[in-house]
Amino acid sequence: MAALCEAFTLCGLGPSGGVGLGSGLLALEPGADPDHVLLTDRGRTATLFKVSDQKPLGCWSVKHGQIITCPVVCNFETREYIAVHDNKVLRIWKDEDVNLDKTFKATLSAEVYRIHSLPHAEPLVLFKGGGVRTLDVLLEAPQQEIENVISDEVIKWSFPSLFQDGDFYVYVQKLKMRSLHKYKLEQQESSNPLSFTAYIKKQIITLLCLYSNDSVYKVLIPLQQNSEEEEQTLSKSLLLNLSISGSVLKGTSFVVLDKDHVAVLGSLAASECLTIWNTKFQTLQASKELPLGTSGQLWCYGEKFFFTHGKVLTVVIYKCETSSLAAAVGKLKDSQTSDLSSFVNWDTLGDEELPVSFQSQQSITLKSDSRMMPKPHISELHGVSHFQDAPTDAIEDELGRLFSKAQTPDFQATIGCVISALINRCKTDPTFYPRNFLVQMIQKRELSYSLCPDLMAVALEKKDVHLLQICLQRFPDIPEEITYACLKVFLSISDDYLERTDVNLESVISYIDIEPNNKEVKTEVVENGFNTELEEDGCGVTGMKENNTMDSVKFCPVGPHKAALLNAVLHSAYSETYLLPHLKDLPAQQAVLFLRYLHYLYVKCSEKINTTLPGVLSPTINQIMDWMCLLLDAHFTVMVMLPEAKGLLSSMHKFVRAQVRFYSELNKIEGSLQELQRLKFQNNCQAYSIEVLELI
């Protein structure tokens, strides 16, 4: 049984939304870590992404005028990256390298078609003329002559062991034995091959070909060759016919998932879709419509599909189980989900949202239907569902009882599905909102935004600040647009209203005091080498003033509840590229208030020797400074024009200037302090001595 699970966006591909991908995506390759992928654009840039966080870890570009001409790959043995630009220039670098112009460079004698890298093996360099070298052999003599295996042919596809050219010939090379075998593909009447994939098992290469007649063929190529024939013809057998209830899926690319399953990306009628097929039983197992269109390319690494969808790169998690006839026709029983199925609202769940355990109960027989995969009806499950009309308390109690049982392998996906179903009812029924259950699930389970993407949108609509606070603290993959929406809501709600709400104050209660007579929040001032103003003389700094800090930072500008919510925003992961455009839409008054709070936190951190605020999940000095810089970048012109912001900017400028001067003075005596440290270990002094040290 196979199923498509949750989907999420890895990055944008447009000129403004992408991370170096404005020219379009050339290829996607796995990184050294199973959670990393390398994206190469059709231009100058390669970007390393962490998939689970949807965040870029590194980005490297060649010079203007240069073009990366084949996909960047990772050498799994050395954890280095390999690229070729302008067809012949080889570059090798590591994570810590920033400027590609300063990394290893080798100019080759022939143009490179592609580099193949596999775990526990030396990377292979395939040249456009068909010659192949291992990377270590090539680097010994980069200008070595490369033989031409093909003459007038053009390589269309390759993988480590064979490649196929435009005239439908297959070449198999064995580098160690220096052997080359050429095969001719059996002609298919009125159809041409569109896409290829292959794997090796028991000294046999299995080459799978997707043809333009909407069929997948299998070709077997033995690695043990006894025949001396110069050219042999390979026969092929039909593996899969891509027909769905009389309609035909026009495939563009496909990948092999296991011995019984393949995934095909193609179009059906007017829409494109991603499908999983069981080749053993010739059945469609799962599908997902892609209304925004794709580029026709499909990649698969670590049980995840990667493909372009509109102007974004989308990731879809899938699951494949052992193939059986019962699973293929949707009759496989799963006793562990019988209790849950009676509470899931099937009418509000999309096909892509069904948990794996629920999908096993679907009928996958190909009936005439407008949808590729029919949904199960409530009557087909375990009686009438109480989900749509049951009161909130009853649903919370029942779901709490069910989820307290032992976890199943797909338990997390099931939770995400149930939460999505609850949120769907919240959208249609304003009186329904199982807040207690949602809070409990987020606090106790390792969930993510992509598992229940509409949850925070509903919480924003209902201004459930406690739920939003928990999500910001626990979800690792919140989009920057949602983070900004939370910030705007937190700043717009009054402190009086927040005092009546349930907010976790652990991040603020340790460093602010609430004055009972008025609703200001006052901080205890502890001077520790810093002050907002320093008296100057000819030498620079004469001393610190003994008075308290300025009135603008004596009190916290917001109440404790709002401060705790803003701290949750500061903890949320983000990419500056995506967040900055949203911050520019923040109203000026809210931007000034948020900047006052950041200034207050900055002063508080600077009062401590270790620049660390006490408390649980308190913001760090780096988080505070990063957000201050972001906010100033987004609103600097407005800040300069607003009268109420001028004093704040002046105060911040004086405070930062004082710190710079203080550290400058420390740097001046750094040499003397190091000399003292060196003299401390000299043991040539007597029992009593007087030493005079002159500090220069």
Side-chain angles (χ1 to χ4, degrees), residues 185-188 209 211 217-219 234-238:
L185 280 180
E186 182 183 19
Q187 293 291 333
Q188 183 68 29
C209 311
Y211 273 73
Y217 292 89
K218 179 170 69 173
V219 180
L234 297 172
S235 61
K236 59 182 180 295
S237 59
L238 180 64

Side-chain angles (χ1 to χ4, degrees), residues 453-649:
D454 293 331
L455 172 61
M456 295 188 70
V458 172
L460 283 167
E461 182 181 350
K462 296 183 177 294
K463 294 188 176 181
D464 189 347
V465 293
H466 185 213
L467 184 63
L468 292 172
Q469 181 189 29
I470 300 173
C471 292
L472 287 167
Q473 292 172 343
R474 293 180 176 269
F475 286 179
D477 57 345
I478 299 175
E480 285 74 4
E481 181 180 4
I482 299 298
T483 302
Y484 163 74
C486 293
L487 173 64
K488 188 175 181 180
V489 167
F490 295 162
L491 291 171
S492 63
I493 300 177
S494 66
D495 288 330
D496 292 336
Y497 175 83
L498 289 175
E499 286 185 2
R500 302 191 297 269
T501 61
D502 182 16
V503 175
N504 188 342
L505 300 178
E506 290 183 344
S507 67
V508 299
I509 201 66
S510 298
Y511 64 86
I512 61 175
D513 297 321
I514 303 173
E515 195 169 10
N517 293 333
N518 55 44
K519 296 181 180 179
E520 280 186 316
V521 181
K522 183 167 65 177
T523 175
E524 176 189 357
V525 178
V526 181
E527 298 293 345
N528 188 30
F530 299 109
N531 205 319
T532 54
E533 295 185 27
L534 295 176
E535 294 180 355
E536 303 180 17
D537 61 8
C539 298
V541 178
T542 58
M544 301 287 181
K545 287 187 177 182
E546 296 181 358
N547 62 320
N548 289 342
T549 54
M550 297 175 63
D551 291 340
S552 60
V553 291
K554 187 179 297 184
F555 302 104
C556 181
V558 298
H561 292 72
K562 184 173 292 188
L565 296 175
L566 294 177
N567 287 353
V569 173
L570 299 183
H571 268 282
S572 181
Y574 66 89
S575 170
E576 180 179 342
T577 304
Y578 301 131
L579 182 59
L580 192 59
H582 296 294
L583 278 181
K584 292 180 180 179
D585 296 331
L586 190 67
Q589 299 301 325
Q590 294 183 8
V592 172
L593 178 61
F594 189 32
L595 189 60
R596 287 188 185 277
Y597 178 64
L598 292 172
H599 182 210
Y600 166 79
L601 290 179
Y602 186 59
V603 174
K604 287 295 296 179
C605 284
S606 301
E607 292 170 355
K608 309 296 180 182
I609 294 178
N610 57 2
T611 65
T612 301
L613 294 174
V616 180
L617 294 177
S618 298
T620 64
I621 184 69
N622 288 335
Q623 290 171 338
I624 297 167
M625 292 182 67
D626 289 344
W627 273 92
M628 289 177 73
C629 293
L630 269 175
L631 201 59
L632 288 172
D633 286 343
H635 290 274
F636 185 75
T637 304
V638 177
M639 295 285 184
V640 172
M641 299 299 293
L642 284 177
E644 58 266 37
K646 290 183 179 179
L648 173 62
L649 294 177

Side-chain angles (χ1 to χ4, degrees), residues 88-191:
K88 290 186 177 182
V89 183
L90 185 75
R91 292 281 186 180
I92 300 177
W93 72 93
K94 294 186 177 182
D95 282 316
E96 56 268 22
D97 293 321
V98 177
N99 188 352
L100 284 188
D101 198 42
K102 297 181 179 180
T103 60
F104 176 83
K105 172 184 175 182
T107 302
L108 310 178
S109 61
E111 294 186 352
V112 175
Y113 172 74
R114 183 150 189 172
I115 301 175
H116 290 286
S117 183
L118 291 173
H120 315 297
E122 187 70 17
L124 298 174
V125 181
L126 171 63
F127 292 87
K128 290 185 177 180
V132 181
R133 296 287 188 275
T134 58
L135 182 64
D136 55 351
V137 171
L138 185 63
L139 293 181
E140 290 177 0
Q143 285 294 313
Q144 61 185 275
E145 184 179 353
I146 307 298
E147 71 281 1
N148 287 328
V149 175
I150 59 179
S151 54
D152 298 331
E153 301 154 330
V154 178
I155 300 175
K156 295 297 184 182
W157 174 83
S158 68
F159 106 113
S161 281
L162 83 162
F163 58 90
Q164 194 269 344
D165 62 65
D167 288 333
F168 314 125
Y169 287 88
V170 177
Y171 294 82
V172 179
Q173 295 193 53
K174 296 181 181 179
L175 296 182
K176 292 183 178 180
M177 301 176 62
R178 295 185 178 276
S179 64
L180 173 67
H181 294 279
K182 180 179 180 180
Y183 304 90
K184 183 178 180 179
L185 280 180
E186 182 183 19
Q187 293 291 333
Q188 183 68 29
E189 201 171 318
S190 68
S191 65

Side-chain angles (χ1 to χ4, degrees), residues 264-469:
V264 181
L265 184 67
S267 59
L268 183 69
S271 64
E272 296 189 55
C273 57
L274 173 65
T275 58
I276 299 180
W277 296 77
N278 187 310
T279 58
K280 186 176 182 180
F281 299 109
Q282 301 287 301
T283 56
L284 175 66
Q285 297 281 277
S287 68
K288 179 180 179 64
E289 293 184 4
L290 306 171
L292 300 180
T294 72
S295 66
Q297 293 176 295
L298 177 65
W299 298 274
C300 178
Y301 300 111
E303 295 190 344
K304 298 181 183 71
F305 293 123
F306 300 83
F307 54 89
T308 61
H309 187 210
K311 294 184 178 181
V312 300
L313 180 64
T314 298
V315 182
V316 176
I317 300 174
Y318 73 90
K319 182 175 181 180
C320 280
E321 298 176 351
T322 303
S323 179
S324 66
L325 183 60
V329 298
K331 300 298 183 183
L332 188 63
K333 300 289 185 181
D334 190 350
S335 59
Q336 292 177 326
T337 62
S338 58
D339 288 340
L340 285 177
S341 58
S342 63
F343 272 83
V344 174
N345 181 5
W346 296 100
D347 292 333
T348 60
L349 284 176
D351 289 335
E352 70 278 5
E353 296 173 328
L354 298 179
V356 176
S357 58
F358 294 162
Q359 288 194 4
S360 63
Q361 301 177 18
Q362 298 182 75
S363 174
I364 311 297
T365 53
L366 303 178
K367 301 177 182 178
S368 298
D369 195 351
S370 59
R371 300 294 298 271
M372 284 189 230
M373 294 183 61
K375 297 181 185 177
H377 297 288
I378 296 176
S379 58
E380 295 175 1
L381 299 172
H382 301 276
V384 179
S385 172
H386 302 291
F387 184 81
Q388 290 186 349
D389 53 3
T392 302
D393 294 341
I395 290 180
E396 288 184 333
D397 293 342
E398 184 65 17
L399 288 177
R401 179 183 64 82
L402 293 174
F403 282 116
S404 63
K405 296 181 179 180
Q407 296 188 10
T408 59
D410 57 351
F411 192 68
Q412 188 181 32
T414 303
I415 294 176
C417 174
V418 171
I419 290 178
S420 296
L422 294 172
I423 294 303
N424 285 337
R425 180 178 167 183
C426 292
K427 294 178 181 178
T428 57
D429 183 3
T431 62
F432 177 78
Y433 188 56
R435 179 180 181 275
N436 295 333
F437 173 76
L438 296 174
V439 170
Q440 181 183 8
M441 287 296 101
I442 297 172
Q443 287 179 330
K444 294 185 177 181
R445 311 295 179 188
E446 294 297 329
L447 299 179
S448 63
Y449 177 87
S450 56
L451 205 58
C452 39
D454 293 331
L455 172 61
M456 295 188 70
V458 172
L460 283 167
E461 182 181 350
K462 296 183 177 294
K463 294 188 176 181
D464 189 347
V465 293
H466 185 213
L467 184 63
L468 292 172
Q469 181 189 29

